[in-house]
Amino acid sequence: MTPQPTIQDLTARFGAAVKAARTAAGLSAPALAAACTELGVPTAANALNKIETARRESVRLEEAIAVAVATGVPLVSLLVPLDGEAEVDLLPNLRLPVWDAAMLITGEDHPDGGASEDRPRAVLSVFREHAVDVRTALISTHEARERRSQAARHDVGSDRYQQLSRQATEFERIATEDCQRLRDTRARMRTQGMHPAPLPAALAFIAPDEQEDTT
């Protein structure tokens, strides 16, 4: 029977993930420690070494976040070894399939539809919807402009001009719908007290007078 993991065992697993992330990022321990310190989490190289070599009994939340940001590795990837065993001990008394453990951390909806419709999960869902709407609008508006630009390079009335013009018109129709959906999503978020992320420059025309709340 496999012995029950301790908190220190879980910290050791995190430390191994930190070392792998640091190495992959091409950072020395002092460099990573300096990057964490620059992020506002004072970190000494020897303290980082203790984490990586399982000589720390626990890791503070701000340390974990700083390492994730500094190495460019998602925090969930440092906490859950998705490319390791089929199951993971997320806590001493909580063993889950690795993807279930990852979903618990990220708030992803479970594929069996059994996820609760509580406020935090519902908010996450709306923010994800907004992110999808942004990407969709970026793609359709780009394609519309690109087709229209390509058409302008051909003689008016030529077969290629006609083809590209039809494509541009269709993408413009799709882009109009995508942009309106994005506007609606942002309006709904604000009505519910949420603060949608600032729009990328390419979509600034969607809400030119919108005052983004950056506080």
Side-chain angles (χ1 to χ4, degrees), residues 49 91 203:
N49 181 262
L91 294 170
L203 296 177

Side-chain angles (χ1 to χ4, degrees), residues 10-93:
L10 306 185
T11 302
R13 185 183 68 214
F14 175 80
V18 169
K19 183 176 182 179
R22 176 177 63 75
T23 301
L27 296 171
S28 64
L32 178 54
C36 291
T37 300
E38 181 67 22
L39 289 167
V41 182
T43 306
N46 64 336
L48 185 62
N49 181 262
K50 287 181 179 180
I51 292 175
E52 293 186 352
T53 56
R55 289 183 289 137
R56 279 274 296 272
E57 293 186 357
S58 62
V59 177
R60 299 194 309 274
L61 177 59
E62 65 270 25
E63 291 176 320
I65 295 174
V67 168
V69 173
T71 58
V73 173
L75 179 58
V76 66
S77 297
L78 296 176
L79 300 175
V80 180
L82 289 169
D83 56 353
E85 300 295 328
E87 295 186 334
V88 61
D89 292 298
L90 196 59
L91 294 170
N93 296 330

Side-chain angles (χ1 to χ4, degrees), residues 3 12 42-43 60 83 87 91 99 103 106 131 164 171 178 191 213:
T43 306
R60 299 194 309 274
D83 56 353
E87 295 186 334
L91 294 170
W99 184 237
M103 287 194 297
T106 63
L164 288 169
F171 272 112
D178 290 343
T191 298
D213 186 351

Side-chain angles (χ1 to χ4, degrees), residues 195-206:
H195 301 280
L199 291 168
L203 296 177
F205 66 90
I206 287 178

Side-chain angles (χ1 to χ4, degrees), residues 28 43 55 95 123 175 179-180 196:
S28 64
T43 306
R55 289 183 289 137
R95 185 170 180 80
V123 170
C179 291
Q180 186 56 55

Side-chain angles (χ1 to χ4, degrees), residues 90-122:
L90 196 59
L91 294 170
N93 296 330
L94 181 62
R95 185 170 180 80
L96 296 169
V98 290
W99 184 237
D100 284 357
M103 287 194 297
L104 181 63
I105 294 171
T106 63
E108 297 285 345
D109 288 334
H110 200 281
D112 64 9
S116 64
E117 292 299 324
D118 56 16
R119 171 70 177 175
R121 193 176 297 275

